[in-house]
Amino acid sequence: MILQRGVKLEQQKTASLRHKIKILPVPEGMAEPKPLPPRKDKLDAGGIIAAAEAAGIVDEFDGVALDKKMKRLRRLKPDMIVACCFDEDPCTTSAMATLRENTHAMIAGLVLAARACGAAENKIAVATAKEARVIRKINPQADLILAGERYPARVLLKRKLYASGKNAAYIGAQALLALTAAVDDSEAQNFTVVTVAGDGVEHWRNMRVRIGTPLQFLLDACEVSEKTKVVITGSSVTGKAVTDLSQPVTAATRCVIALKKPPRNKTYPCIGCEKCERACPRGIVPWRVLREIQSASPDPVRMPNVQKCIGCSACAVACPSGIDLTAVISKAAAYKKSGDFD
Ligand code: SF4
Ligand code: SF4
């Protein structure tokens, strides 16, 4: 059944959740952020949206400016706003740690966002029942929903809520916390929490860092090994390798993964196990698309739904042959769109 699709990833959360979030000093030479003028607007929808705009908040969930997103949602009238406090990457815990250490402020930000968007309900999404118990101990009033442990959890959660008749909208944990700070303390979004992990660093940690801090600074704080061969930001599933470690942390950076061995790139022929099909949350059959695109004259009719691909890479992660199915589907979608076939 499509709702149960996705792929189970080996979770390695404990190492970075064992310690409290570490506050990384601001690198020398980085200019002090300019304080915002005190907020004067009323705390109605317009006032909350204005505070988000003044604070320059970007939602790490989708990289969109929070004020613009809330304005759009106000028009779309969602039933529910969901705070995304789960991490899809196997090594990343920045959203979980942020919720654990700021539960009350997170709830306050969520209530503000729901008010700004005109949504009657709000819920905090966490990955597992175990995590829900941790949060309920901190705040028994927290209204929680489980996103589950299968990847891509955010897509599967959206499907689950949609199937239950809920028209929900999603906002990231860092953005909601920044919204509370913007409204309560007139603070701009100057900081974010990033997980540093991977076998290339001695200490796996969540660190609260100034946005704009170079990636190298975070790696050094976690005692990066000289044997590190590749550094990935974004996610170890869909993230991109970075070669220039002077690149800054942005509001959307969730993790920095340092690896001593580059991810395998050896591929083998398809063995027809159909794991890719079971993993896809969009009802695409990647192995069939692969077969078709490799044929002498690919027929677009035999590649249904490829344009619905969201690039989550669940199929590629599930594939025991190491085939880059994400690229295959993307190629098929481009081929279909081009109309360049008989
Ligand atoms: S990358 Fe595309 S084809 Fe692969 S699992 Fe995700 S949605 Fe499905
Ligand atoms: S998971 Fe890989 S090997 Fe299995 S059917 Fe899909 S493409 Fe073929």
Side-chain angles (χ1 to χ4, degrees):
M1 178 163 145
I2 219 162
L3 283 177
Q4 289 173 338
R5 287 185 171 178
V7 56
K8 191 117 183 176
L9 301 172
E10 188 197 342
Q11 299 291 336
Q12 301 172 64
K13 309 276 195 199
T14 319
S16 55
L17 273 181
R18 195 174 292 140
H19 306 284
K20 289 240 164 208
I21 296 171
K22 183 181 162 86
I23 297 175
L24 195 66
V26 175
E28 267 178 45
M30 267 184 96
E32 276 299 309
K34 287 197 183 125
L36 297 177
R39 189 183 56 76
K40 290 200 187 105
D41 299 310
K42 277 199 273 175
L43 264 189
D44 55 10
I48 297 165
I49 291 170
E53 185 179 3
I57 301 171
V58 172
D59 184 356
E60 80 275 11
F61 187 72
D62 49 19
V64 173
L66 186 61
D67 60 303
K68 291 197 173 65
K69 181 167 177 172
M70 291 194 296
K71 264 187 213 161
R72 187 173 58 85
L73 289 174
R74 195 157 179 81
R75 287 195 299 277
L76 295 174
K77 300 187 181 11
D79 307 320
M80 181 194 287
I81 300 296
V82 176
C84 298
C85 299
F86 54 90
D87 301 275
E88 296 190 295
D89 184 277
C91 310
T92 305
T93 57
S94 53
M96 288 169 79
T98 301
L99 174 64
R100 284 184 183 194
E101 296 187 31
N102 305 274
T103 312
H104 305 292
M106 187 74 72
I107 293 172
L110 181 57
V111 169
L112 287 165
R115 193 185 305 163
C117 301
E121 287 180 73
N122 61 71
K123 283 192 192 292
I124 295 176
V126 295
T128 60
K130 190 174 161 206
E131 185 61 14
R133 283 196 292 279
V134 172
I135 301 303
R136 285 211 180 90
K137 265 193 196 158
I138 301 168
N139 188 329
Q141 263 77 53
D143 197 352
L144 305 174
I145 184 170
L146 301 186
E149 282 185 289
R150 295 184 77 80
Y151 177 84
R154 64 170 71 181
V155 182
L156 300 174
L157 175 64
K158 280 182 180 179
R159 294 193 77 96
K160 189 163 81 175
L161 286 174
Y162 185 75
S164 70
K166 287 286 175 204
N167 170 21
Y170 303 81
I171 299 180
Q174 308 297 329
L176 289 171
L177 209 56
L179 184 59
T180 305
V183 166
D184 288 356
D185 306 316
S186 300
E187 268 180 26
Q189 188 187 29
N190 293 316
F191 292 90
T192 191
V193 175
V194 177
T195 305
V196 181
D199 63 3
V201 285
E202 186 69 27
H203 308 288
W204 291 29
R205 290 232 165 92
N206 281 301
M207 289 195 286
R208 186 171 187 266
V209 297
R210 257 286 287 284
I211 291 171
T213 301
L215 297 174
Q216 183 75 59
F217 207 73
L218 278 72
L219 290 166
D220 289 344
C222 294
E223 294 185 31
V224 65
S225 161
E226 283 176 1
K227 292 184 183 158
T228 295
K229 291 275 188 308
V230 60
V231 174
I232 295 167
T233 58
S235 147
S236 60
V237 185
T238 58
K240 297 269 178 291
V242 277
T243 46
D244 177 7
L245 296 176
S246 68
Q247 276 187 32
V249 166
T250 70
T253 308
R254 301 279 44 86
C255 61
V256 182
I257 314 279
L259 300 173
K260 287 183 183 168
K261 258 199 209 158
R264 66 170 184 169
N265 51 15
K266 201 166 164 105
T267 57
Y268 300 91
C270 171
I271 54 168
C273 65
E274 299 183 8
K275 284 186 178 171
C276 52
E277 180 180 346
R278 291 195 289 279
C280 181
R282 304 291 284 173
I284 298 165
V285 184
W287 63 268
R288 273 207 194 123
V289 177
L290 173 71
R291 200 168 60 186
E292 197 56 34
I293 204 85
Q294 285 176 338
S295 68
S297 52
D299 181 352
V301 176
R302 293 209 194 99
M303 302 189 286
N305 298 331
V306 287
Q307 65 286 355
K308 290 189 189 163
C309 175
I310 48 166
C312 66
S313 296
C315 52
V317 171
C319 179
S321 293
I323 301 168
D324 185 357
L325 292 163
T326 320
V328 168
I329 305 299
S330 163
K331 187 176 166 191
Y335 175 71
K336 217 170 161 173
K337 197 173 168 194
S338 73
D340 194 13
F341 38 80
D342 298 326

